[in-house]
Amino acid sequence: MDPPKQAVPVISDGNTTDDTERQGPSENEKAVDTSPPLNQSISSWKWYSICVGLYLTAVLYGLDTSIAADVQGPVLESLGEIEKLSWVGIGFPMGSVATILLLGSLYGSFEIKWLYLASIILFEVGSAVCGAAPSMNAMIVGRVVAGVGGAGMYLGCLHYIAVFTSLKERALYNALVGLCWGTGCILGPVVGGAFASSGATWRWSFYINLVLAAVTAPVYILWFPRHNPQPTTPAREKLAAVDWVGAVLNAATFTLFMVVLAYAGTAWDWSSGGSIGLWVAFGFSLVSYAVQQAFCIFTTEQNRLFPVQFLKRRTMLLLYFTTASASASLFVTVYYVPLFFQFTENDSAIKAAVRLLPFITLNVSFTMVSGALLPVFGYYMPWYLPSGALMLIGGALMFVVKPTTSVGAIYGYEILIAVGSGLAAQLAYAIAPAKAKANETSAAIGFINVAQLGSIAIALAISGSIYQNLGLRYLRDALREFDYSQADLKSALAGAKSVILTHSDAHVRELAIGAIVKTISSLYGLVIAAAALTLVSAVLMRRERLQLEVAAG
């Protein structure tokens, strides 16, 4: 989930005591770029078609970010292996966060058209693998590949806008990217639920990407302009400058962390050799990555992948925490509210997805509102206080829900989380570049990208692990007097058509649903923790005013 910044930073008022943060612009930074934008050399109808192509990729990126929220049950029925089910949601953001820093580095050096087209192809290949998946392992591979391609599409979209539009109109084009992503995110659960409930089956939730890409393929291939940011530098020299060691360690660290969270306690016991080995491998990879980036081993300070310097700056760290918290709160709710209604109200996949629409719509709306009003008031710290408070209240109320809690009450609790997470979701994309030094703008955006995408993957991995481990324990305790196998318990936990939920008496179903709802409500402990982190971060933020310029209301 990764919409662009909604404001263009111009100047910080310098009200800060940390000399490693930006103190104010130089005279060159204050100057406005008056050179004509490159899109003026492109005919109007061709530029409009190019924009349609760009915004379609933003819609597809948003769609695939949330589409898995409502197809997990049907996927499990088809492919089995409940211990791997969480990867249907985890795989996509994990693929993105594992590669987005590398892709950003490549876009800064190589021909953007070929990178963009390669990303689209990779995304479509991943979607095709998901749609045709004969097993859960194939589904996982497809989701990861699609996530890598999706990150490349998103970055390519932003680079095209940055290169071919003027500074004045750029914020408008970026805001439209955010709007298109939000539209895709809203439609994701509905599209997934609609296909899962129809004769087309859940597989067309992924195949639809191929149809849309095929229709617009001529636009991408024939009309998209080329741009090489370093035309005089040989390709070999560009490749040598890339921090490949950092890229491998970055991908390995995130991947191992996701794997250990997904499998420890489910596929393997916590004390098993497999779990311990994964934790050791993750720790070694993390330490190696940290040392390699900190001391610029096999790279230079200018080319290293991760902006280590931001870890020494209070404001940048706090923006990282608040962005990660908002994204984690959003996606825990998006993935488990439909499951709650499928159990308690016996909803179909499409009906459960429709119930989620108010939540996502309000979240996206308040994301746009906060982004539009931030430049008007300038002060950023006050936005995070109500954000944390609303998420905390909503998360605490969802933490105590029961099967008998009314639908209206659930909607109300959701709204609190939706508004709270929406207020803080995208602000850092405008604030971080304003607080960074002049030559660190791209690094600042990448830093916040990692916070946002990384928190989605980590939150889904942790919540999936808790759901399977704690849910199995609660179900086993609730149904101890009945002779159900471990496979039956796992099947019921996934919402599949298990013996427990379809061929048992009302008392057994009531006990099982009570245990599952107790499990789902416990996941909102993550939202409570994220909200508390947002509130603490808000209190520690500077009471300063930034001057930000926007080109669109």
Side-chain angles (χ1 to χ4, degrees):
M1 173 178 172
D2 211 11
K5 56 187 182 296
Q6 298 178 24
V8 179
V10 177
I11 177 173
S12 167
D13 69 353
N15 183 18
T16 174
T17 58
D18 187 346
D19 59 7
T20 63
E21 290 186 351
R22 186 172 180 176
Q23 301 295 316
S26 66
E27 290 302 316
N28 288 335
E29 291 176 75
K30 293 179 183 178
V32 177
D33 182 9
T34 58
S35 60
L38 294 181
N39 62 359
Q40 286 188 5
S41 62
I42 303 172
S43 63
S44 297
W45 69 270
K46 186 176 289 188
W47 176 246
Y48 292 146
S49 64
I50 290 170
C51 288
V52 169
L54 290 173
Y55 295 140
L56 176 61
T57 56
V59 171
L60 292 179
Y61 191 56
L63 195 74
D64 268 53
T65 301
S66 61
I67 202 167
D70 213 29
V71 299
Q72 295 180 92
V75 168
L76 181 67
E77 290 180 32
S78 297
L79 306 180
E81 298 186 272
I82 186 177
E83 67 276 2
K84 299 177 182 178
L85 182 63
S86 60
W87 281 94
V88 179
I90 296 170
F92 189 81
M94 191 201 77
S96 292
V97 74
T99 57
I100 197 165
L101 290 177
L102 172 62
L103 291 168
S105 175
L106 296 177
Y107 268 110
S109 302
F110 292 91
E111 168 62 56
I112 64 173
K113 178 175 180 176
W114 305 136
L115 288 171
Y116 187 60
L117 288 177
S119 298
I120 293 174
I121 292 171
L122 202 60
F123 177 77
E124 299 302 335
V125 168
S127 298
V129 172
C130 289
S135 66
M136 192 64 83
N137 286 337
M139 169 64 72
I140 294 170
V141 171
R143 288 292 282 168
V144 173
V145 170
V148 176
M153 291 193 312
Y154 159 70
L155 288 175
C157 185
L158 293 185
H159 274 78
Y160 261 108
I161 289 172
V163 170
F164 286 90
T165 63
S166 67
L167 182 62
K168 183 178 180 181
E169 49 187 20
R170 195 165 303 152
L172 172 59
Y173 283 97
N174 278 340
L176 290 173
V177 174
L179 181 61
C180 290
W181 166 84
T183 301
C185 195
I186 290 171
L187 292 176
V190 178
V191 171
F195 280 125
S197 302
S198 71
T201 75
W202 58 267
R203 295 183 182 276
W204 271 93
S205 300
F206 304 103
Y207 283 147
I208 190 64
N209 295 332
L210 304 178
V211 176
L212 294 174
V215 171
T216 54
V219 176
Y220 298 117
I221 297 171
L222 301 176
W223 297 336
F224 263 57
R226 296 178 59 179
H227 176 76
N228 190 335
Q230 298 181 24
T232 60
T233 305
R236 182 178 297 179
E237 189 175 327
K238 294 178 184 179
L239 289 171
V242 175
D243 182 9
W244 295 109
V245 174
V248 171
L249 290 173
N250 174 73
T253 299
F254 273 103
T255 301
L256 285 169
F257 188 51
M258 297 300 104
V259 170
V260 74
L261 287 177
Y263 289 114
T266 54
W268 302 318
D269 291 335
W270 289 101
S271 58
S272 68
S275 294
I276 295 173
L278 279 176
W279 279 112
V280 171
F282 163 68
F284 177 78
S285 179
L286 178 62
V287 171
S288 299
Y289 184 41
V291 171
Q292 188 263 341
Q293 292 292 290
F295 296 98
C296 301
I297 301 173
F298 301 115
T299 187
T300 64
E301 186 172 341
Q302 181 182 1
N303 293 329
R304 67 182 172 189
L305 208 64
F306 190 84
V308 177
Q309 66 273 20
F310 293 155
L311 300 180
K312 303 175 183 178
R313 305 180 193 176
R314 185 177 79 185
T315 301
M316 299 300 283
L317 274 177
L318 296 178
L319 291 174
Y320 187 101
F321 293 151
T322 52
T323 302
S325 296
S327 296
S329 298
L330 171 64
F331 272 82
V332 167
T333 309
V334 164
Y335 270 76
Y336 288 95
V337 161
L339 201 59
F340 176 88
F341 283 121
Q342 286 174 7
F343 282 117
T344 60
E345 302 295 325
N346 199 28
D347 281 354
S348 63
I350 182 62
K351 188 173 182 180
V354 170
R355 290 187 189 273
L356 195 61
L357 281 178
F359 172 84
I360 300 180
T361 303
L362 279 171
N363 179 269
V364 172
S365 298
F366 275 86
T367 296
M368 301 297 285
V369 167
S370 63
L373 294 181
L374 174 65
V376 176
F377 298 103
Y379 292 96
Y380 57 90
M381 174 269 189
W383 290 98
Y384 291 101
L385 288 173
S387 169
L390 290 171
M391 287 193 295
L392 183 61
I393 296 170
L397 291 171
M398 288 296 291
F399 190 77
V400 296
V401 298
K402 294 177 171 52
T404 55
T405 304
S406 70
V407 172
I410 299 297
Y411 284 163
Y413 305 160
E414 285 180 38
I415 287 172
L416 293 173
I417 300 175
V419 175
S421 58
L423 287 174
Q426 301 300 318
L427 294 181
Y429 282 99
I431 301 165
K435 297 297 294 179
K437 297 175 182 178
N439 61 344
E440 296 176 333
T441 298
S442 295
I445 297 298
F447 187 68
I448 301 302
N449 278 339
V450 172
Q452 192 171 61
L453 290 171
S455 68
I456 294 172
I458 291 170
L460 291 180
I462 293 175
S463 60
S465 179
I466 293 173
Y467 182 74
Q468 293 184 45
N469 283 278
L470 201 59
L472 193 60
R473 183 196 308 170
Y474 286 159
L475 272 175
R476 188 182 295 116
D477 291 344
L479 304 176
R480 189 176 298 278
E481 60 183 290
F482 304 95
D483 189 23
Y484 287 114
S485 67
Q486 180 113 328
D488 290 334
L489 297 176
K490 287 184 175 182
S491 181
L493 192 62
K497 296 176 181 177
S498 66
V499 173
I500 296 174
L501 297 177
T502 59
H503 297 91
S504 59
D505 59 39
H507 176 61
V508 171
R509 287 196 299 272
E510 182 180 351
L511 290 174
I513 291 173
I516 294 169
V517 169
K518 183 179 179 182
T519 304
I520 293 174
S521 64
S522 69
L523 300 178
Y524 287 88
L526 294 174
V527 177
I528 294 172
L533 180 59
T534 299
L535 284 173
V536 172
S537 298
V539 171
L540 294 176
M541 284 180 178
R542 292 185 169 85
R543 279 65 167 169
E544 63 181 346
R545 186 175 188 275
L546 302 178
Q547 294 183 15
L548 302 161
E549 178 183 308
V550 290

